[in-house]
């Protein structure tokens, strides 16, 4: 099993910055990719950003140029969020695809609330 633990959410004014972290632990043979999704009030969960081996990144158009995803070599992924907007308000979920047994599976964190006030 793989556990994902997020931290770093909170309340911020528009234009401010927040940094989210997500640490993966457990019996991990390989983990790729890692990323972040979010679900705003009354909305469906949507992709924010992912990072694959070789530091290949993918961003939603709405966050490109404002958010930066990165990953260290300890299975921790970060999301630096700058120039925050009220529409960034959502629960942010860490995501990972990993092998801990014999097959690849999708894993999700418990979510961390990000609230941006205008």
């Amino acid at each position: 099993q793989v556990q994902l633990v997020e931290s770093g959410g909170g309340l911020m004014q528009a234009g401010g910055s927040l940094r989210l972290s997500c640490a993966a632990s457990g019996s991990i043979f390989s983990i790729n990719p890692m990323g972040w999704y979010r679900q705003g009030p009354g909305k469906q969960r949507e992709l924010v950003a992912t990072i694959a081996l070789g530091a290949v990144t993918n961003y939603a158009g709405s966050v490109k140029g404002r958010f930066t995803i990165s990953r260290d070599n300890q299975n921790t992924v970060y999301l630096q969020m700058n120039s925050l907007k009220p529409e960034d308000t959502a629960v942010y979920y860490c995501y990972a695809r990993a092998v801990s047994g014999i097959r690849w599976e999708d894993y999700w964190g418990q979510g961390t609330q990000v609230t941006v006030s205008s």
Side-chain angles (χ1 to χ4, degrees):
Q1 280 291 335
V2 175
Q3 295 80 41
L4 302 176
V5 179
E6 302 126 331
S7 60
L11 174 65
M12 178 57 65
Q13 287 188 331
S17 298
L18 284 173
R19 189 189 196 210
L20 305 182
S21 300
C22 172
S25 63
S27 302
I28 301 170
F29 178 74
S30 182
I31 184 166
N32 182 52
M34 297 187 76
W36 295 91
Y37 285 70
R38 68 185 181 186
Q39 187 165 14
K43 298 181 180 180
Q44 291 188 329
R45 190 173 297 189
E46 63 178 3
L47 169 75
V48 177
T50 59
I51 185 165
L53 291 178
V56 177
T57 58
N58 180 46
Y59 293 94
S62 60
V63 307
K64 197 172 292 185
R66 300 188 297 120
F67 292 10
T68 302
I69 190 169
S70 61
R71 177 181 171 180
D72 66 13
N73 57 6
Q74 302 297 320
N75 290 329
T76 298
V77 65
Y78 305 93
L79 186 68
Q80 178 66 43
M81 304 185 293
N82 299 329
S83 302
L84 284 162
K85 303 177 180 180
E87 51 263 44
D88 295 320
T89 294
V91 178
Y92 284 70
Y93 295 92
C94 180
Y95 163 81
R97 188 158 177 81
V99 176
S100 70
I102 61 173
R103 62 178 181 268
W104 289 91
E105 295 187 46
D106 295 325
Y107 295 91
W108 295 90
Q110 79 283 0
T112 185
Q113 178 71 47
V114 171
T115 303
V116 184
S117 62
S118 57

